[in-house]
């Protein structure tokens, strides 16, 4: 009897696609949940409520994009006139390398058609770009449609229907179809932000929250991440209590470059961004793998009732070289633990042994 060859075991393709280039989110844990970060030359969609950190996350992606591509360009379509270059600079983001398009810089409220023309001009008509380009639209909700802006005699109820019913969805669908997804072929990455709203009038089996713009966003996006605020970070200094950050839940609902439906808990520190070291350590603790970090394990042995917060506060007093070395070591621990957990859920063999 001729024995069949041993079936080939499944590899790490579903944990990290080596054929895709990624931009870091600024947090190792979120990068793992996304399959490596924000996939370049594709469409990335962030959905969330007010104050959940959508714009902050976009800025972190932009900062890491510019670090990855020193000659790259970021074009920020600010439809809500909420971009604050001073705040971006305070976070350490090179604001001088971000081109802002809003009512102050172009003299009119940006529309979806303006975004369409920008993408066509940037990704298609300009030929092959020599440098990588990231276009951020913050937010889709703030973008009007040309028909609405030109029809000054329209009634308020008609404008409402145009913006939230069919006009905006049609304009977005037309934009994606006409461009034929150019971001996949011409060194361009598109990051879109949407605001969630209650699904008023939805049936008993409908989603509780939706976003404006129709189904084109979900169809064309390679990755879609929903952000929800779940708590506040508070502390007291000299009898004065203040909120100094927020706790958020990130749910990767769609992922064409990794495993979908991965959820992680992140901590945002005001004036800093995603508090990556604290976020990573809290996840390791929740997964009972805190000792995967050699630096924390050493700290734990030397202290009574240690906590990740105490450790992070101590590490922040380190000199830069030691601080970043510790941060890299914790990132490696998260990477190891994440892959170990994910691998345990993957099939042990291929379905077809070709």
């Amino acid at each position: 009897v001729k024995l069949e060859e041993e079936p080939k075991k499944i590899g790490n393709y579903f944990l990290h696609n080596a054929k895709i280039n990624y931009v870091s989110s600024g947090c190792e844990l979120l990068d793992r949940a996304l399959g490596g970060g924000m996939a370049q030359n594709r469409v990335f969609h962030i959905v969330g409520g007010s104050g959940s950190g959508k714009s902050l996350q976009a800025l972190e992606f932009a900062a890491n994009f510019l670090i990855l591509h020193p000659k790259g360009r970021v074009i920020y379509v600010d439809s809500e006139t909420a971009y604050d270059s001073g705040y971006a600079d305070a976070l350490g983001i090179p604001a001088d390398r971000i081109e802002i398009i809003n009512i102050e810089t172009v003299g009119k409220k940006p529309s979806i058609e303006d975004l369409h023309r920008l993408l066509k001009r940037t990704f298609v008509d300009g030929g092959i770009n020599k440098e990588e380009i990231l276009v951020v639209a913050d937010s889709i909700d703030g973008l009007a449609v040309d028909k609405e802006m030109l029809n000054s005699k329209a009634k308020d109820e008609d404008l409402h229907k145009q913006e939230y019913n069919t006009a905006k969805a049609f304009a977005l669908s037309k934009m994606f179809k006409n461009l034929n997804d150019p971001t996949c072929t011409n060194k361009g990455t598109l990051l879109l932000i949407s605001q969630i709203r209650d699904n008023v009038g939805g049936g008993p089996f409908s989603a509780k929250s939706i976003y404006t713009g129709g189904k084109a966003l979900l169809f064309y996006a390679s990755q879609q991440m929903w952000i929800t605020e779940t708590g506040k970070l508070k502390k007291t200094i000299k009898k004065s209590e203040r909120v100094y950050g927020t706790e958020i839940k990130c749910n990767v609902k769609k992922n064409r470059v990794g495993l979908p439906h991965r959820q992680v808990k992140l901590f945002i520190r005001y004036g800093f961004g995603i508090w990556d070291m604290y976020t990573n350590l809290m996840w390791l603790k929740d997964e009972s793998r805190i000792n995967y970090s050699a630096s924390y394990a050493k700290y734990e042995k030397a202290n009574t009732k240690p906590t990740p917060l105490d450790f992070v506060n101590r590490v922040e007093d380190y000199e830069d070289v030691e601080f970043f070395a510790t941060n890299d070591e914790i990132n490696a621990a998260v990477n190891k633990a994440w892959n170990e957990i994910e691998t345990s859920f993957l099939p042990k063999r291929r379905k077809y042994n070709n």
Side-chain angles (χ1 to χ4, degrees):
V1 178
K2 183 178 180 181
L3 298 178
E4 297 289 339
E5 293 183 4
E6 181 181 355
K8 298 177 182 178
K9 295 184 178 180
I10 194 164
N12 290 331
Y13 173 83
F14 295 102
L15 299 183
H16 181 81
N17 189 341
K19 296 181 179 180
I20 302 294
N21 294 320
Y22 297 92
V23 177
S24 174
S25 65
C27 177
E28 181 67 23
L29 180 61
L30 182 53
D31 286 347
R32 293 306 100 217
L34 290 168
M38 176 178 68
Q40 287 187 193
N41 308 129
R42 292 171 180 260
V43 179
F44 189 93
H45 189 203
I46 299 177
V47 184
S50 176
S52 59
K54 304 183 300 298
S55 298
L56 173 64
Q57 184 59 76
L59 286 175
E60 294 232 23
F61 275 126
N64 284 287
F65 178 87
L66 292 174
I67 291 172
L68 188 63
H69 303 289
K71 296 183 180 180
R73 297 168 55 201
V74 172
I75 303 174
Y76 202 102
V77 181
D78 178 23
S79 65
E80 300 176 356
T81 319
Y83 177 82
D84 187 340
S85 59
Y87 182 69
D89 185 64
L91 294 176
I93 297 170
D96 59 321
R97 295 180 58 199
I98 299 178
E99 178 185 348
I100 306 299
I101 295 178
N102 59 22
I103 193 170
E104 296 177 353
T105 59
V106 298
K108 64 183 288 289
K109 182 180 178 66
S111 67
I112 293 177
E113 288 84 355
D114 288 330
L115 176 62
H116 186 170
R117 287 185 283 268
L118 169 66
L119 295 176
K120 189 173 184 296
R121 182 172 66 249
T122 305
F123 295 148
V124 181
D125 296 341
I128 301 299
N129 298 314
K130 294 181 180 179
E131 70 279 344
E132 290 280 353
I133 299 176
L134 169 65
V135 175
V136 179
D138 185 8
S139 65
I140 294 298
D141 302 75
L143 293 174
V145 289
D146 282 350
K147 183 179 179 181
E148 170 191 344
M149 299 176 69
L150 293 173
N151 190 3
S152 59
K153 296 182 180 181
K155 296 179 181 180
D156 289 342
E157 58 266 26
D158 293 333
L159 296 182
H160 177 80
K161 290 178 182 178
Q162 288 173 8
E163 183 173 1
Y164 295 110
N165 188 15
T166 59
K168 182 169 287 189
F170 177 78
L172 280 171
S173 180
K174 181 179 179 182
M175 179 185 77
F176 284 118
K177 288 180 180 179
N178 288 356
L179 291 174
N180 196 24
D181 205 11
T183 52
C184 293
T185 60
N186 201 18
K187 293 191 175 181
T189 303
L190 179 59
L191 193 164
L192 303 171
I193 297 176
S194 291
Q195 175 85 20
I196 61 170
R197 61 187 75 249
D198 294 334
N199 188 10
V200 179
F205 301 105
S206 301
K208 294 181 179 180
S209 299
I210 58 174
Y211 52 85
T212 186
K215 298 182 179 179
L217 282 171
L218 178 60
F219 181 80
Y220 285 98
S222 291
Q223 295 165 292
Q224 186 187 70
M225 179 175 73
W226 287 60
I227 303 177
T228 306
E229 181 183 322
T230 55
K232 306 289 188 184
L233 299 180
K234 299 180 180 179
K235 66 180 175 181
T236 301
I237 299 178
K238 296 181 179 180
K239 298 183 179 180
S240 295
E241 184 182 73
R242 295 289 186 274
V243 174
Y244 70 100
T246 57
E247 176 186 310
I248 64 173
K249 179 182 72 173
C250 287
N251 182 5
V252 183
K253 288 193 175 184
K254 179 182 179 181
N255 198 348
R256 287 180 177 174
V257 297
L259 294 168
H261 306 297
R262 267 44 191 168
Q263 297 186 35
V264 293
K265 179 173 64 177
L266 307 180
F267 298 94
I268 294 177
R269 190 176 185 181
Y270 297 156
F272 181 79
I274 297 179
W275 202 357
D276 52 327
M277 184 179 291
Y278 183 54
T279 293
N280 291 334
L281 286 172
M282 288 299 292
W283 179 79
L284 287 170
K285 181 181 178 182
D286 291 342
E287 296 294 334
S288 301
R289 288 170 169 81
I290 191 72
N291 287 330
Y292 277 37
S293 168
S295 56
Y296 186 85
K298 182 179 179 181
Y299 172 81
E300 191 175 43
K301 290 181 180 180
N303 293 272
T304 305
K305 296 182 179 179
T307 66
L309 183 59
D310 293 336
F311 176 76
V312 170
N313 288 333
R314 178 177 177 178
V315 173
E316 287 181 348
D317 291 330
Y318 290 176
E319 296 295 330
D320 283 352
V321 173
E322 187 176 5
F323 172 85
F324 288 112
T326 303
N327 196 52
D328 289 343
E329 184 269 324
I330 294 172
N331 286 343
V334 169
N335 193 5
K336 176 184 176 182
W338 182 276
N339 288 340
E340 180 181 281
I341 294 170
E342 290 290 278
T343 300
S344 68
F345 284 92
L346 289 175
K348 304 299 182 183
R349 63 179 65 229
R350 294 176 177 175
K351 183 176 181 179
Y352 303 104
N353 187 31
N354 295 324

